Amino acid sequence: MKGLLHRRTARDRDTPATSTGGVAGVVAPASVEVTPRFLRVGDGYAATLVVTGYPAEVGPGWLEPLLAWPGRLDLALHIDPLPAPVAASRLRTQRARLESSRRADSDRGKLSDPYVEAAAEDAADLAQRLARGAAKLFRVGLYLTVHARTEAELLEACAQVKAAAASTLLEVQPATWRHLAGWTTTLPLATDSLQMLRTMDTQALAAAFPLASPDLPAPLPGDPPVTGGVLYGVNPASNGIVWWDRWSQENYNSVVLARSGAGKSYFVKLEVLRNLYQGVHISIVDPEDEYLRLAEAVGGTVVRLGMPGVKINPLDLPVGDHRPDVLTRRGLFLHTVISVLVGHPPPPAERAALDRAILAVYRQAGITADPHTHTRPAPLLKDLVGCLETDPEPAAAQLAARLAPWVHGSFADLFNGPTTHAPLGHLVVWSLRHLPDELRTIGTLLALDHIWRQVDLPVQSRSAATPPVRRIVVVDEAWLLMRDGEGARFLFRMSKAARKRFAGLTVITQDVADVLGTELGQAVVSNAATQVLLKQAPQAIDALADAFSLTGGERRLLLGARQGQGLLICGIARTGFEAISSEQEHALCTTNPAELYDDQEDEDDL
């Protein structure tokens, strides 16, 4: 038997345009075809399932598997409160039936039915809570309307919804011959046309409310719409889009923690690319040359420290910084540089000689506190050592001898000339892979100094008509810096002060213990509003769970995550995601040796 309901095509002229009938005439489907097993609503198909069986115990969010089902599903929960006298009377009758069954079995010498015993105890507990006013009873109807484009897809979708319901011990049955009533029941009309109800108490009903969602919360009513942000990926639980704007958070820092091979560098490269599209300037500390192909593709600048001909002069003054204390701050930084070169802070006599030599070497180059002199060529490290050698104090000669390997010896290649590469542009990659171990600490310090000078550039140096540039500083394999005192202090300073300079720090590391095991590392993590956790090792999950207050489900997610899957955390907002990319982005971001080898073979063939 089939029925066909057509929408009225012409509205009565006497009916006002704002009437309910007029609105229904606009939003209602063109036709509704009724069959025993489904409805054909407009160009689609729909079927209603009724929840007829419930589990004995439920936890918070027990409807979550249905709400997170990746398809079009209308879920309606109809609630009708029972007056207290009626609830008490019905509960008394139910307890009498259960007690009668128990006594009858006892008189006949039968063993007690465990289901009857459990039901009787639950009824007695509910009666006590009802008498004290700690609970109320409600008549509840739960209905699901599944939508699909074709009849075959509808059958498959209904089977999937039944499986999702069975995972929470819910029994569902199709509303055969009553699908039209079921469809109207799940519309926002507050009308239950099926009346297939179940009695629930307050706790079970409260746990049914969808107070949690696998997706990020939407803006509250009245809040401005979200306009910025970049695509992080999709949510595997709901197929929703994970779109995140780090620039709208309390601070702009982020931390990415994952085991080796989990896809952390791949994810960060995608974020770097998508922020470059929006005009963000990015500086990257790259220990393993993972960002070179990306930099070449977008016209970035690569400074390969340790390669022949690449030199950095630590005595260079910041370009564009016209503050009156520029020379003083550069002198203090040189004290730090010399301490790193000699392995420890010099004794007081050598520090005094060094301070005299710093003032003298800039004076010889014609550079004074006057900002107009700061454009003159800066002296070199060998000039500073020359000033120490001419100092009559024995401490100065001793310090000059200790600096000789960095000026005339085996370590002089990095410093024996003016700076050869100007680290300027929208993307600057500082490659540290070719630095020997003896030069890695000082090379990293010089790279971080150049990055900080760009971040700390005063607003007065920019044009009044030009808005401040947003900057991101990416530090890959941050555990290498955490082992070094100067590197750890740089990360700490950046995490604290970057927000005031319209900059954000991105810390990437695979060694969770080195980050969470130190006070500086914990400060870096706590000052990151955006926290990304990818696949973790079982040995590190306990420390990570304590630091980020992970639930049992989140722990299992991180232990069993595929490459590129993880968890995005910002305050109380948490959601799973899987990074996605286009073919062009994937070619720039992948570090899979097999894929890179195949690409190289294709280029050789061409």
Side-chain angles (χ1 to χ4, degrees), residues 326-410:
V326 170
L327 195 58
T328 303
R329 288 187 289 108
R330 183 55 21 181
L332 295 176
F333 172 72
L334 287 174
H335 280 274
T336 303
V337 170
I338 299 304
S339 298
V340 172
L341 293 180
V342 299
H344 56 81
E350 293 184 5
R351 289 179 63 85
L354 175 62
D355 197 62
R356 293 193 301 269
I358 291 173
L359 297 177
V361 74
Y362 279 113
R363 198 163 45 242
Q364 291 176 5
I367 299 175
T368 64
D370 185 3
H372 293 90
T373 64
H374 294 176
T375 57
R376 296 173 179 174
L380 302 177
L381 183 62
K382 65 179 181 179
D383 300 325
L384 178 63
V385 174
C387 290
L388 287 172
E389 291 174 344
T390 59
D391 193 314
E393 292 290 334
Q398 185 175 359
L399 180 58
R402 296 170 63 184
L403 291 174
W406 305 93
V407 177
H408 309 292
S410 304

Side-chain angles (χ1 to χ4, degrees), residues 588-606:
L588 295 177
C589 299
T590 183
T591 55
N592 188 332
E595 294 183 5
L596 296 178
Y597 178 75
D598 292 340
D599 293 342
Q600 185 63 39
E601 280 193 334
D602 294 339
E603 292 179 3
D604 294 341
D605 293 339
L606 294 176

Side-chain angles (χ1 to χ4, degrees), residues 140-158:
V140 178
L142 183 57
Y143 312 101
L144 315 168
T145 296
V146 185
H147 296 265
R149 292 174 295 180
T150 64
E151 186 176 350
E153 291 181 3
L154 181 63
L155 294 176
E156 183 179 356
C158 289

Side-chain angles (χ1 to χ4, degrees), residues 260-264 266 534-535 560-566 578-579 591-592:
S260 178
K264 55 184 182 300
Y266 187 95
L534 302 179
K535 183 178 179 65
R562 298 194 302 268
Q563 190 176 37
Q565 283 188 347
E578 181 174 4
T591 55
N592 188 332

